[in-house]
Amino acid sequence: MRYDGSFNFSEGNRFGLFPAVSAGWNLTNEPFMDDAGSWLNNLKLRASWGKMGNDLIPAYQFLTLYEYGGDGNYYAFGMDPRAYSGVAATNTANPGITWETSYKTNAGIDFGAWQGKLDLSLDVFHEKRRDILINRNASVPDYAAISLPDENLGKVDNRGVELTLNHQNSIDDINYNLGGNLTYHKSKIIYMDEASSIPDYQQQEGHPIQSWLVYQADGLYRTQSEIDNSPHLPGTQPGDIRYVDVNEDGEITGDDRFRRYTSPIPKMQFGFNAGLDYKNFGLNVFFQGQAKAEQLAFDGEQQPVIKTYFEDRWTPENRDAPLPRAFDRDDHINNRPSTFWLYDASYLRLKNVQFSYTLPSNLISRVGISRLRVYVSGRNLITWDNMLGNWDPERTQGGYNYPQIKTFLIGTNITF
């Protein structure tokens, strides 16, 4: 049990009690499992529950803060007016702000058999985040002209399963091991601050975290006549993205955006490793990947422009090009988040390969060395993905990642 206090909260809301409990049952130690002792090494059932707290917010939001001086914060007095600095409130206080809480439940099983040749671990988890610290910027209009504090408003559920499997064995002079892990995860927003006027097809509640709000794209305009005969944004030219009039009002506006219930956060992540030793030679390989995620290949930010944008863009001489005409970051047509720029962010990456050789001891013992191993390794060697150009599928929302750098190393390990 933890009893934590935080200066980010007022005196009456400062402390929180965060308990946790776990239990396990090792069935292999039970008498009724004696007959399985010849092949079963471990069979354990586990369960746990815990409550955690989060206070990672800007401090002192429970207080009204004041600023002395500053731009426009002055008053004029006297027959011959002079400016005197004044004091003004800079925030709206929330004296009731307190801990964000997370309730985590986990159930699992550990299994081992055949003298360590096979090990398996399976976990099922469920997390309920409550009192998430967010503000009401969506439901309170901008003309209210107030700086809103965080409030304990949000509710999010996360659930999923994790699996780890390992196998190792020896055949004559060959020793090998195989291993893998898989995580499948789903999130659901139970409550968040949304404007009451948002139509159902744009709402986030009841759907994954960071789901995409985008325009529906329908290819590119190839000719001026296509533009003239369909709803379009002002200033649209041949080579621009064609957007679908989702609400069928004859115009392309923000109301034509719809909520695509995918996310840059992958629902599935996995890895696979393999190792092989034969006499003095060794080989280790590691793959990693993800699935069930979508990522924007362009979001209008100040970001490097990849080569594909130039080579495959629309021009009057290349009207069948897959990408829009050249445009800058202030372009109000082509840089909108839309399905045109959404790509499947699934990938499989050969993350690491290492090949090694250990010199025979009878050769190196003469110079006082007990073990000498030389190796060559490569990192980020190959990535199989569906992204545009060389965009990194691991990119996070709201930023740009350069492609993963390939790295090659040659080294040695020496033990005296």
Side-chain angles (χ1 to χ4, degrees):
M1 300 181 71
R2 295 183 55 174
Y3 189 63
D4 289 344
S6 173
F7 61 80
N8 288 341
F9 309 130
S10 63
E11 186 173 348
N13 301 298
R14 183 160 295 166
F15 290 90
L17 179 65
F18 304 108
V21 61
S22 63
W25 183 18
N26 194 337
L27 278 76
T28 48
N29 294 333
E30 299 294 342
F32 59 80
M33 296 294 293
D34 289 344
D35 292 341
S38 61
W39 62 274
L40 183 65
N41 307 118
N42 181 37
L43 181 60
K44 184 177 182 180
L45 304 179
R46 297 176 282 102
S48 63
W49 176 91
K51 178 183 177 182
M52 301 180 66
N54 173 39
D55 68 335
L56 297 179
I57 58 169
Y60 308 119
Q61 294 189 67
F62 61 92
L63 298 173
T64 300
L65 305 179
Y66 297 89
E67 180 183 49
Y68 176 74
D71 293 340
N73 188 15
Y74 62 87
Y75 303 89
F77 294 96
M79 297 300 294
D80 183 15
R82 294 180 57 189
Y84 293 88
S85 294
V87 175
T90 60
N91 72 316
T92 301
N94 175 15
I97 193 170
T98 188
W99 291 88
E100 173 183 323
T101 53
S102 170
Y103 303 88
K104 298 185 177 182
T105 304
N106 187 91
I109 182 172
D110 297 323
F111 173 82
W114 297 292
Q115 304 302 316
K117 292 181 180 180
L118 180 65
D119 288 292
L120 179 148
S121 179
L122 177 66
D123 287 88
V124 179
F125 61 87
H126 183 204
E127 178 188 21
K128 299 175 67 174
R129 292 179 59 193
R130 295 296 183 263
D131 303 319
I132 298 174
L133 293 161
I134 57 177
N135 56 49
R136 297 181 185 269
N137 284 344
S139 60
V140 177
D142 290 341
Y143 59 72
I146 56 176
S147 176
L148 295 169
D150 288 320
E151 300 179 62
N152 297 98
L153 296 176
K155 299 178 181 180
V156 171
D157 284 356
N158 297 280
R159 64 182 66 216
V161 60
E162 293 181 346
L163 174 66
T164 302
L165 183 64
N166 292 286
H167 169 61
Q168 59 182 5
N169 198 10
S170 299
I171 303 175
D172 296 330
D173 292 331
I174 299 176
N175 299 313
Y176 69 90
N177 62 82
L178 303 171
N181 62 82
L182 171 68
T183 300
Y184 184 81
H185 156 271
K186 291 179 66 175
S187 65
K188 182 179 180 180
I189 297 175
I190 305 301
Y191 176 80
M192 66 173 296
D193 182 60
E194 291 190 283
S196 58
S197 59
I198 291 181
D200 293 342
Y201 61 87
Q202 292 186 349
Q203 291 181 359
Q204 297 187 67
E205 284 185 12
H207 302 284
I209 297 174
Q210 294 188 15
S211 57
W212 296 107
L213 182 63
V214 292
Y215 291 87
Q216 179 68 50
D218 186 20
L220 302 177
Y221 285 112
R222 308 294 177 180
T223 64
Q224 185 63 44
S225 62
E226 292 180 354
I227 299 173
D228 296 337
N229 292 301
S230 65
H232 58 272
L233 293 165
T236 298
Q237 306 174 32
D240 286 338
I241 297 174
R242 181 204 296 261
Y243 298 111
V244 176
D245 182 13
V246 172
N247 62 359
E248 299 181 345
D249 64 353
E251 298 179 297
I252 302 299
T253 66
D255 290 336
D256 291 309
R257 295 176 299 171
F258 74 103
R259 182 68 57 179
R260 190 177 178 97
Y261 297 116
T262 58
S263 167
I265 303 172
K267 291 183 178 179
M268 183 181 295
Q269 294 176 293
F270 50 85
F272 174 76
N273 61 276
L276 177 68
D277 292 322
Y278 176 69
K279 295 185 177 179
N280 290 0
F281 294 94
L283 176 66
N284 289 279
V285 180
F286 174 59
F287 292 86
Q288 72 173 40
Q290 67 182 33
K292 295 187 177 295
E294 282 194 323
Q295 188 57 264
L296 278 179
F298 185 84
D299 56 14
E301 296 183 353
Q302 298 184 29
Q303 60 192 28
V305 179
I306 62 177
K307 185 178 179 182
T308 304
Y309 291 157
F310 292 97
E311 294 181 336
D312 297 328
R313 73 184 189 276
W314 183 96
T315 65
E317 297 76 30
N318 187 20
R319 294 179 178 270
D320 294 326
L323 297 180
R325 62 177 174 83
F327 60 94
D328 61 30
R329 64 174 176 263
D330 296 322
D331 185 286
H332 73 287
I333 298 174
N334 296 305
N335 64 5
R336 300 184 177 216
S338 72
T339 57
F340 188 92
W341 299 113
L342 273 180
Y343 282 77
D344 179 5
S346 302
Y347 77 91
L348 176 64
R349 175 172 290 145
L350 179 53
K351 189 67 177 180
N352 192 57
V353 176
Q354 185 179 93
F355 179 75
S356 64
Y357 178 73
T358 302
L359 273 68
S361 58
N362 59 350
L363 294 180
I364 58 177
S365 59
R366 300 173 184 176
V367 292
I369 298 175
S370 61
R371 187 173 185 271
L372 194 153
R373 174 178 172 268
V374 294
Y375 65 89
V376 57
S377 67
R379 186 175 177 85
N380 299 320
L381 299 182
I382 306 173
T383 300
W384 296 271
D385 63 60
N386 301 303
M387 293 298 293
L388 175 66
N390 57 356
W391 273 77
D392 183 9
E394 289 189 272
R395 169 185 180 265
T396 57
Q397 185 174 353
Y400 177 86
N401 286 1
Y402 282 99
Q404 297 281 338
I405 297 175
K406 294 181 181 180
T407 306
F408 298 92
L409 296 173
I410 298 176
T412 182
N413 302 120
I414 302 175
T415 304
F416 294 96

